[in-house]
Amino acid sequence: MSPNNPALANDTEALAKSFGLNAEEYGKVLEIMGRIPSLTELGIFSVMWSEHCSYKSSRIWLKELPTKAPWVIHGPGENAGVIDIGEGMAAIFKMESHNHPSFIEPYQGAATGVGGILRDVFTMGARPIANLNALRFGDPSLPVTKRVVDGVVRGIGGYGNCVGVPTVGGEVNFHSAYNGNPLVNAMTVGIARHDKIFLSAAAGIGNPVVYVGSKTGRDGIHGATMASTEFDAASEDKRPTVQVGDPFTEKLLIEACLELMQTDAIVAIQDMGAAGLTSSSVEMAGKGGVGIELNLDHVPQRETGMSAYEMMLSESQERMLLVLKPERSEMARAIIEKWDLDYAVIGHITDTGRIVVKHKGVVEADIALDPLAEAAPLYRRPFVETPKPAPLGKVEHTTPLLEALEKLIACPDLCSRRWIFDQYDSTVGGQTVKRPAQADAAIVRLEGTKRALAITVDCTPRYCVADAEAGGAQAVVETWRNITATGAKPLAITDNMNFGNPEKPEIMGQFVSAIKGMAAACIALDFPVVSGNVSLYNETEGRPILPTPAIGAVGVLEDAAQAVGYGLNPGLALVVIGETRGELGRSLYLREILGREEGAPPTVDLIAERRNGDFVRAQILSGTVAACHDVADGGLLVAVTEMALAGDAGVTLTQENGAEYWFGEDQARYVLAVQDAAALLAAAAAAGIPATQIGSSVNGNKLTLPNAVAISLPQLRDAHERFFPAWFA
Amino acid sequence: MMKAAILLFPGINRERDMVLAVRQSFGHEPAIVWHKETALPAGTDLVIIPGGFSFGDYLRCGAMAAQSPIMQAVKAHAARGGYVLGVCNGFQILTEAGLLPGALLRNAGLRFLSMDTMLRVERADTVFTNHWQKGAQFRAPMAHGDGNYTADTATLDRLEGENLVAFRYADGNRNGSARDIAGIFAPNLRVLGLMPHPENLVDPLMGGTDGKPLFDALASV
């Protein structure tokens, strides 16, 4: 029986084009098939070879990133990265984008982004213990931005709160470059025992292939293809390609899978994410070097009359594909059905090396798996790296320091995110040691142990657009610093590469440069990449986003009680570790106070980062540091203000200096609050590390500069807390 | 020592938190009871219904769970004078099951609220609250989209008149609850429902032990 559909033959090439395959790619399909593909086959090729699934533009560059370390258990290539965190436990984590759907339909786009990344983590056997998110929105003065922010925040909360995984951290930026293309990057961290990690490689000829979870509907068909094209004015018509999330079913799926994973029933397991049943079945069989035969008659369906094409391409949410040991399948069915989830045997593993899809007695697809994977397009696209920016010349300062400070801490990029995180359940699970806005990284204890993970997400796109190499390095070092500033040892990262159209050489150049910078930072800091996601074509009507290589990082504390936050108590000396040269290029001060987006971003000195960070961490673990904050967006005075506001303690500063000193965004710096400044300064001097006491925390509610000019904390707090509540009042 | 059973409905997500709090104060493991059971474990003194989104909260919060098989056993347990504690979704389930009066509506601002709140102890002469002083305030995290307590005026007046208000919000009424009510007792003072989560503040490492007196009080019965 041939899966061919002659009626299609004439139109197939045009159809292939509309599915996102170019003429050359379609030629390869014909070569592999030796005939005109059926509609279902063409659908399978087009999603597997989409940018989203095949990484065809990015793959050769991603290989430049370091992925190994003694503590890495599984690097890129699995559903998520796995690292050793001691005591026989592993952290399993990944960050993934849901950018395109979140613009078209913000609530569901963001919600299903959270759902998808959760599944990538628990499919490996981990109980998810933390969610984070990295969000970029357009100009806040536009009504559409407000609508998108509202929907995305509600969507993240609606899903995360319901599944009962605490949302413990994140970051938010605004820039007009994201007006038509917001970024929603969601990260999940889970915990498993080393001996209970589940992989996706199918094995065992004849083993049943089992479908678990929600029923399949027509939602999300060709979502992966949508995520691989630019936007235009008609994009809103793509709303039907956005999936609808059901966090209740996800919660059942988590509990059912984790319960099943306590048995020895599972041979392989993978979630049905982008490209749904197609990618899960193709990847599981491909990785296992076996074949797979599916009978779609048995797929649980939410709608009637669904075709093979629709079922293979559907991106309905909350579904998993399992290969089970046949003798355990009835026990598995009992567990899954206890949780009121669908359980259906929809096929079996074969030795043919092919995927065969049958529906109503007809072979709808029959494709050799090796060529489908190996002949997948791989492009070394032409690229032009962004010319290095001219250094920022002399800057005239007209705004008094405290006036500039008040304005800076009120601006959308620096103001309090309380309005956002107050909508996310950050305490469910009972292990959240440091909640949002208490420390530079979220701290979540590992239940039943003293250990904790420190987790953060960071990227500074305004640096990346000026110099993607420096920006890529800076994103990595900032996560490393944020973990270090809690006392934790940074272990590994996940990257979420958000860029414009890679077919434009200058965009590809941004990507190449960012990878170069990230790789250098990862090597210098022993901070490998263990998982990641690439999102390209983030453009609307030809306008690209700022290059945004968002980094999610995980570190470990042997004793959660050693974690420090950044809130100040009175009576402590404030010491800056690291050199302050006063680099204002691309700083928020320059943009918000002087209205300029110019110059080179701050220098990233990887040797200084490593040296200063290792020193700070050792000080924290020695128990002498009461609070610690890395110096980042906004510079030193903003960091000190955040510390004062977080602890509700006054600050008196003693360093007479200008705007460069207080607002420069020089890297590799931390503010430490200690009882004994002399001891810290001596230790720093002995280690050859720049350290300066800049003042003290005091009783009272004022921040006072050396010239006795002061501003009250309530005034600063009002400014800091105003933006979001006023915007959504 | 009381024997505790924690109910598990599909979609409940704070059962692990509750186990930690009970284990710490009681010194033993509570039983976990699946909602399709028809009987509580023999000798159960205290039934705890934790927070979460039972059945996704897709109907009214708690409405589906209130119809689960185990709830018949819980009603019989309460009728016998057994102790029942419902927190957050558990409180909603108790109102839907008719074990406590009133209902929990969407928060007044129509947004999920996750932050610490201060609760005032309205009476300290109950099995649940006797480790606090009357009028004492304690901190408790809240995390809910539907915590806006409501009842008709006669019911509210009766709750006040019979001194059945357990806790009130003391630092601002964020969710719109009638008369700042955060938790209420049944007339026999053996059933307590409240929205915030004392079980999430029982460990100094997590920010404090403000919620621990509730569990210590129950443990000392």
Side-chain angles (χ1 to χ4, degrees):
Chain A
M1 194 175 344
S2 165
N4 206 345
N5 181 347
L8 270 170
N10 293 333
D11 297 330
T12 311
E13 186 169 351
L15 194 61
K17 189 157 183 288
S18 76
F19 284 3
L21 291 175
N22 64 28
E24 189 193 337
E25 290 166 350
Y26 181 61
K28 268 194 199 171
V29 172
L30 289 179
E31 202 176 301
I32 290 169
M33 297 304 296
R35 57 174 167 78
I36 303 230
S38 70
L39 175 64
T40 304
E41 288 166 342
L42 189 61
I44 291 172
F45 274 101
S46 70
V47 293
M48 291 310 297
W49 289 3
S50 70
E51 188 68 61
H52 191 83
C53 292
S54 75
Y55 295 83
K56 57 192 170 192
S57 302
S58 60
R59 231 158 61 223
I60 55 167
W61 295 107
L62 295 173
K63 286 187 195 138
E64 307 285 317
L65 295 168
T67 58
K68 291 189 170 60
W71 52 91
V72 174
I73 298 173
H74 292 289
E78 290 300 333
N79 283 301
V82 185
I83 58 170
D84 179 18
I85 51 172
E87 296 184 38
M89 288 178 296
I92 301 184
F93 63 99
K94 186 177 174 182
M95 180 154 53
E96 198 164 77
S97 62
H98 231 214
N99 304 333
H100 295 79
S102 297
F103 181 62
I104 297 173
E105 169 49 52
Y107 184 98
Q108 292 297 344
T112 54
V114 175
I117 195 62
L118 279 164
R119 284 192 296 285
D120 276 336
V121 166
F122 74 75
T123 193
M124 297 193 73
R127 176 171 286 281
I129 63 161
N131 280 335
L132 293 88
N133 50 78
L135 312 177
R136 322 279 161 188
F137 299 112
D139 179 348
S141 68
L142 299 178
V144 63
T145 304
K146 186 174 173 182
R147 180 182 71 88
V148 172
V149 170
D150 187 41
V152 165
V153 170
R154 283 181 192 275
I156 289 171
Y159 208 99
N161 298 341
C162 182
V163 294
V165 176
T167 301
V168 294
E171 62 166 354
V172 183
N173 292 158
F174 294 90
H175 194 280
S176 57
Y178 303 105
N179 279 354
N181 199 316
L183 303 184
V184 175
N185 297 171
M187 176 176 177
T188 294
V189 183
I191 298 299
R193 305 289 314 172
H194 284 189
D195 55 358
K196 279 285 184 187
I197 293 166
F198 291 80
L199 304 179
S200 56
I205 308 310
N207 277 349
V209 174
V210 172
Y211 171 118
V212 169
S214 288
K215 290 178 167 53
T216 297
R218 289 190 170 94
D219 45 336
I221 291 174
H222 262 307
T225 310
M226 177 190 77
S228 305
T229 52
E230 288 181 37
F231 271 7
D232 54 34
S235 292
E236 296 230 356
D237 298 344
K238 292 183 176 169
R239 194 166 297 164
T241 58
V242 179
Q243 315 84 331
V244 175
D246 175 359
F248 170 59
T249 298
E250 179 102 336
K251 171 68 173 163
L252 302 184
L253 204 51
I254 293 174
E255 299 303 332
C257 288
L258 292 179
E259 187 173 333
L260 184 56
M261 284 163 170
Q262 293 304 309
T263 73
D264 64 347
I266 299 174
V267 176
I269 177 166
Q270 175 151 344
D271 69 301
M272 294 190 223
L277 193 48
T278 293
S279 68
S280 52
S281 57
V282 166
E283 286 173 16
M284 289 176 84
K287 278 185 188 166
V290 294
I292 191 167
E293 183 172 321
L294 301 178
N295 185 341
L296 301 184
D297 298 353
H298 304 306
V299 169
Q301 293 159 53
R302 200 167 63 215
E303 300 175 56
T304 55
M306 289 187 71
S307 68
Y309 166 81
E310 289 170 323
M311 278 187 265
M312 290 305 288
L313 276 284
S314 163
E315 291 189 3
S316 290
Q317 299 288 290
E318 293 92 23
R319 303 179 300 160
M320 309 289 276
L321 199 62
L322 286 68
V323 177
L324 296 180
K325 294 178 183 167
E327 69 276 15
R328 293 283 186 270
S329 59
E330 281 315 301
M331 176 197 66
R333 177 190 293 276
I335 289 173
I336 299 301
E337 290 183 348
K338 171 191 153 189
W339 291 96
D340 294 327
L341 294 168
D342 271 311
Y343 173 104
V345 178
I346 63 164
H348 61 274
I349 298 302
T350 67
D351 61 0
T352 62
R354 304 181 73 82
I355 178 168
V356 176
V357 178
K358 295 179 177 170
H359 186 216
K360 296 182 174 168
V362 176
V363 176
E364 295 285 351
D366 183 353
I367 306 172
L369 288 165
D370 278 352
L372 177 59
E374 283 158 19
L378 178 61
Y379 297 128
R380 188 183 186 91
R381 296 196 187 275
F383 65 92
V384 180
E385 291 189 77
T386 312
K388 296 288 178 190
L392 187 69
K394 179 104 178 82
V395 177
E396 293 297 326
H397 305 285
T398 50
T399 311
L401 288 175
L402 291 181
E403 198 180 305
L405 172 66
E406 191 179 353
K407 202 169 165 191
L408 266 180
I409 59 159
C411 83
D413 271 358
L414 270 182
C415 70
S416 165
R417 273 73 181 111
R418 185 172 309 282
W419 180 88
I420 295 176
F421 63 71
D422 275 358
Q423 298 183 56
Y424 301 153
D425 189 341
S426 58
T427 55
V428 60
Q431 304 296 330
T432 308
V433 179
K434 297 289 181 197
R435 302 185 204 170
Q438 293 185 343
D440 278 348
I443 307 289
V444 182
R445 189 176 61 183
L446 309 180
E447 192 180 324
T449 76
K450 287 169 71 179
R451 278 174 190 264
L453 296 184
I455 317 165
T456 183
V457 293
D458 293 286
C459 180
T460 314
R462 65 196 145 86
Y463 297 166
C464 299
V465 72
D467 181 342
E469 184 177 354
Q474 194 276 339
V476 173
V477 300
E478 188 170 348
T479 62
W480 190 84
R481 240 176 9 234
N482 279 330
I483 287 174
T484 293
T486 66
K489 178 178 163 45
L491 291 176
I493 64 171
T494 178
D495 59 355
N496 200 150
M497 309 292 289
N498 306 275
F499 289 80
N501 181 347
E503 295 163 43
K504 297 180 181 170
E506 62 278 17
I507 299 292
M508 203 59 223
Q510 293 174 341
F511 188 88
V512 171
S513 300
I515 292 275
K516 210 188 284 180
M518 288 164 56
C522 290
I523 290 165
L525 303 174
D526 284 325
F527 207 29
V529 179
V530 296
S531 59
N533 169 247
V534 178
S535 172
L536 302 175
Y537 297 95
N538 288 290
E539 302 202 358
T540 299
E541 288 167 355
R543 286 191 305 277
I545 60 162
L546 303 185
T548 310
I551 307 295
V554 173
V556 70
L557 274 158
E558 286 181 16
D559 182 354
Q562 290 183 306
V564 299
Y566 59 73
L568 288 178
N569 290 319
L572 299 164
L574 300 177
V575 175
V576 178
I577 299 297
E579 191 184 353
T580 304
R581 292 178 298 270
E583 295 189 74
L584 281 181
R586 300 288 161 169
S587 66
L588 283 174
Y589 173 85
L590 193 68
R591 191 182 83 192
E592 297 294 324
I593 307 301
L594 301 174
R596 296 165 60 184
E597 295 184 58
E598 293 166 34
T603 313
V604 177
D605 177 343
L606 294 170
I607 291 167
E609 286 288 353
R610 178 79 192 238
R611 186 192 59 198
N612 297 358
D614 287 347
F615 174 78
V616 166
R617 190 179 319 104
Q619 294 298 313
I620 294 171
L621 295 181
S622 76
T624 57
V625 178
C628 180
H629 196 10
D630 94 306
V631 182
D633 294 346
L636 193 47
L637 195 54
V638 167
V640 169
T641 302
E642 288 169 346
M643 295 175 83
L645 290 175
D648 215 8
V651 165
T652 299
L653 297 170
T654 51
Q655 281 285 322
E656 187 88 53
N657 255 310
E660 280 86 356
Y661 183 85
W662 291 115
F663 299 120
E665 296 183 3
D666 309 57
Q667 301 293 295
R669 291 184 302 162
Y670 303 79
V671 180
L672 275 60
V674 295
Q675 291 284 353
D676 186 348
L680 177 59
L681 293 171
I689 286 173
T692 315
Q693 183 173 355
I694 56 164
S696 317
S697 59
V698 296
N699 283 308
N701 65 354
K702 278 192 297 195
L703 185 146
T704 310
L705 291 182
N707 54 8
V709 177
I711 186 167
S712 80
L713 289 190
Q715 188 178 345
L716 285 169
R717 193 181 303 283
D718 274 358
H720 191 48
E721 297 288 344
R722 190 185 309 134
F723 172 71
F724 279 102
W727 197 21
F728 286 94
Chain B
M1 179 68 71
M2 286 223 271
K3 198 173 159 189
I6 295 177
L7 304 191
L8 191 53
F9 299 87
I12 288 294
N13 63 27
R14 262 184 166 81
E15 76 281 5
R16 301 157 68 82
D17 316 39
M18 196 61 85
V19 168
L20 291 174
V22 170
R23 183 193 291 150
Q24 176 176 271
S25 289
F26 287 46
H28 63 75
E29 282 300 299
I32 300 285
V33 180
W34 183 237
H35 75 116
K36 285 181 181 169
E37 299 291 328
T38 52
L40 294 165
T44 297
D45 302 299
L46 167 66
V47 171
I48 302 178
I49 312 182
F53 290 69
S54 56
F55 298 92
D57 282 351
Y58 290 153
L59 195 56
R60 285 189 320 276
C61 300
M64 294 280 288
Q67 305 303 318
S68 271
I70 193 63
M71 287 308 291
Q72 287 306 323
V74 174
K75 286 177 187 169
H77 167 81
R80 284 193 305 270
Y83 296 107
V84 181
L85 169 66
V87 176
C88 200
N89 202 208
F91 184 16
Q92 294 161 344
I93 292 167
L94 292 177
T95 62
E96 286 288 341
L99 289 170
L100 290 172
L104 285 308
L105 304 179
R106 288 295 308 279
N107 293 341
L110 303 182
R111 289 188 188 275
F112 193 92
L113 293 171
S114 169
M115 68 273 294
D116 284 356
T117 181
M118 295 303 293
L119 297 183
R120 187 170 63 242
V121 178
E122 293 294 319
R123 63 184 294 176
D125 59 343
T126 76
V127 161
F128 296 96
T129 56
N130 62 24
H131 278 222
W132 281 297
Q133 302 290 319
K134 179 172 159 48
Q137 293 191 8
F138 68 100
R139 201 155 53 90
M142 56 194 245
H144 57 245
D146 301 74
N148 180 356
Y149 183 74
T150 190
D152 59 52
T153 307
T155 303
L156 292 170
D157 288 345
R158 180 176 65 76
L159 286 172
E160 303 275 11
E162 295 176 17
N163 201 9
L164 296 177
V165 176
F167 307 108
R168 283 185 223 267
Y169 298 106
D171 65 338
N173 179 346
R174 297 172 178 86
N175 59 24
S177 289
R179 303 186 191 183
D180 300 341
I181 289 172
I184 55 172
F185 295 110
N188 70 359
L189 301 176
R190 288 168 174 243
V191 179
L192 167 65
L194 77 162
M195 285 311 296
H197 294 279
E199 75 276 18
N200 281 127
L201 270 189
V202 295
D203 182 340
L205 203 52
M206 305 304 147
T209 55
D210 279 42
K212 195 163 175 285
L214 172 68
F215 299 96
D216 288 346
L218 289 166
S220 61
V221 171

